[in-house]
């Protein structure tokens, strides 16, 4: 009797501690608080049975979610999701998987050519097509596999990430009376406790009221921006919504999940000047060419992304230069690269609208001689100028040979001989050796012709 009373007191203290972590505080704008516990949210509304099995990641990829934080991030990418459950025990968690899969078939796809079930509506009650293989390489039902016995078990698989919705994520009751509280915004303690128990780890995302209806990850990003209100307005715009909620889990974004437009609303809201913010919002929501400054801001170059500089460049040069401006903004020498765009005969080399680019023309997402030369000679103005002059003198498909000359170690005289070699060489096959294995012979031939 004393032991039972003592246990009851222990669980009461735990529940009170969890309640303190979840009690509403003076919420800041766009705030999301996260709490984890070693428990399974049995009474929650199921939105997605297993987020990790929806997307093709290659043959025999294994569990998509190997830690609870990644599962919490998937919940944060899906509108309406405010709770999640992850199986952290390699042998599987709980039971009942077999009976469930008998009622809810896997989602169908068209195979590797069209691997993701983008037409699925919520709730997704079956596993996706991409679960790990069963015994002998046969397709698994999705349930855990006992490797020692070579048989599918009734347990739920390791790495299962279920996305859920609860009426009140701030209530400690969602975790049940036996929940073990962990520190807010961390699932490490809960995962450790689950390892000693049945393997289940669950969490809740408590968002501030101003973020209602938005993914928690977007809410966090808006809260960290310069203008949270403008960010939220952008994220709620009809042009920033997916028609099918499941696409939030399948689409590529800056963090690999979520809606690309919504995710970049925070980038626009963080612009240093109101005018730039408004232009950025318009570019992103209308998906015009200037959106490259935001969508492609980590596409090229060793430098940090600078969307503001890219927008200023597109204002000066025109929408057709959006890709070139984006590449310069991330180059190793942005100022030199932008100056090059003002003088380099780039307009004649740009692809016509609708063309993807290639060897004969520069497409909207291709690098240009200006940023290639800036990256090849970031601290050498003379080498950069020689590289740009060389690129202007040869055909577009051979401009990379000029870049090779600019990045070739040696003296300025040696680099200049390389540039002359490229300009004098006939055909890209010969020119490509000016800075390579055949450099000495070709440089000698150029020197003889120049006497």
């Amino acid at each position: 009797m004393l032991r039972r009373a003592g246990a009851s007191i222990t669980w009461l203290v735990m529940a009170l501690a969890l309640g303190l972590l979840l009690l509403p505080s003076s919420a800041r704008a766009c705030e999301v608080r996260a709490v984890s516990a070693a428990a399974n949210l049995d009474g929650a509304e199921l939105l997605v049975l297993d987020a990790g099995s929806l997307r093709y990641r290659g043959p025999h990829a294994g569990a998509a979610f190997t830690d609870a934080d990644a599962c919490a991030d998937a919940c944060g990418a899906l509108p309406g999701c405010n709770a999640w459950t992850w199986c952290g025990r390699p042998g599987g968690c709980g039971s009942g998987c077999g009976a469930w899969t008998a009622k809810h078939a896997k989602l169908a796809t068209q195979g590797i050519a069209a691997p993701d079930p983008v037409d699925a509506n919520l709730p997704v009650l079956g596993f996706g097509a991409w679960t790990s293989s069963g015994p002998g390489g046969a397709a698994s039902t999705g349930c855990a596999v006992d490797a020692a016995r070579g048989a599918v078990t009734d347990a739920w698989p390791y790495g299962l990430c279920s996305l859920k919705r609860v009426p009140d994520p701030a209530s400690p009751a969602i975790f049940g009376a036996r929940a073990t509280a962990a520190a807010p915004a961390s699932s490490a303690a809960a995962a450790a406790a689950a390892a000693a128990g049945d393997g289940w780890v669950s969490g809740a995302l408590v968002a501030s009221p101003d973020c209602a209806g938005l993914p928690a990850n977007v809410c966090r990003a808006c809260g960290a921006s310069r203008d949270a209100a403008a960010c939220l307005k952008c994220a709620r715009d009809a042009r920033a919504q997916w028609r099918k909620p499941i696409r939030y889990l399948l689409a590529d974004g800056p963090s690999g999940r979520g809606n690309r437009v919504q995710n970049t609303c925070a980038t626009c809201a963080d612009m240093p000047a109101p005018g730039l913010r408004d232009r950025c919002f318009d570019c992103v929501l209308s998906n015009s060419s200037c959106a490259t400054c935001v969508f492609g801001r980590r596409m090229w170059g060793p430098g940090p992304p600078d969307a503001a500089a890219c927008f200023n460049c597109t204002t000066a040069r025109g929408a057709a230069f959006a890709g070139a401006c984006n590449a310069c903004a991330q180059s190793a020498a942005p100022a030199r690269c932008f100056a090059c765009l003002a003088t380099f005969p780039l307009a004649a080399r740009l692809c016509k609208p609708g063309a993807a680019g290639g060897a004969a023309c520069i497409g909207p997402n291709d690098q240009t001689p200006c940023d290639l030369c800036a990256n090849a000679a970031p601290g050498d103005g003379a080498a950069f100028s020689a590289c740009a002059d060389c690129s202007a003198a040869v055909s577009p498909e051979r401009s990379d040979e000029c870049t090779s000359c600019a990045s070739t170690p040696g003296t300025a005289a040696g680099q200049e001989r390389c540039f002359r070699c490229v300009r004098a060489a006939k055909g890209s096959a010969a020119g490509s050796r000016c800075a390579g294995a055949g450099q000495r012979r070709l440089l000698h031939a150029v020197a003889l012709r120049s006497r």
Side-chain angles (χ1 to χ4, degrees), residues 276 279-280 283 288-294 306-329 338 341:
L276 278 174
R279 180 158 187 227
C280 184
C283 289
S288 54
S289 59
C290 54
T292 299
C293 292
V294 185
D306 190 343
C310 180
F311 279 122
N312 289 333
C313 174
T314 56
T315 300
R317 306 260 73 83
F321 281 72
C325 292
N326 175 56
C328 276
F338 287 131
L341 290 182

Side-chain angles (χ1 to χ4, degrees), residues 113-317:
D116 300 330
V118 294
D119 291 329
N121 288 308
L122 297 180
V124 178
L125 302 180
F127 284 100
W130 312 113
T131 54
S132 57
S133 297
S140 167
T141 61
C143 300
V145 175
D146 185 336
R149 294 189 300 113
V152 176
T153 72
D154 193 41
W156 297 93
Y158 168 71
L160 177 85
C161 174
S162 295
L163 308 183
K164 304 178 179 182
R165 178 164 50 210
V166 294
D168 183 9
S171 171
I174 64 173
F175 294 109
R178 302 192 341 171
T180 302
S186 171
S187 58
D198 58 7
W200 292 116
V201 180
S202 294
L205 301 176
V206 187
S208 53
D210 54 354
C211 289
L214 292 176
N217 292 351
V218 173
C219 179
R220 284 194 187 100
C222 285
S225 69
R226 295 172 188 257
D227 193 338
C231 180
L232 291 175
K233 181 181 178 181
C234 170
R236 285 197 168 95
D237 192 287
R239 293 169 292 178
Q241 313 301 317
W242 284 122
R243 185 174 61 87
K244 297 281 188 178
I246 196 174
R247 290 184 63 90
Y248 284 85
L249 302 176
L250 303 175
D252 287 321
S255 63
R257 294 189 186 88
N259 183 310
R260 184 174 69 164
V261 176
Q262 286 187 335
N263 288 339
T264 51
C265 285
T267 302
C268 293
D270 214 31
M271 292 284 175
L276 278 174
R277 292 175 212 169
D278 292 340
R279 180 158 187 227
C280 184
F281 288 136
D282 181 65
C283 289
V284 168
L285 292 173
S286 62
N287 197 28
S288 54
S289 59
C290 54
T292 299
C293 292
V294 185
F295 291 154
R297 66 194 183 101
R298 293 186 184 276
M299 188 180 298
W300 298 119
D306 190 343
C310 180
F311 279 122
N312 289 333
C313 174
T314 56
T315 300
R317 306 260 73 83

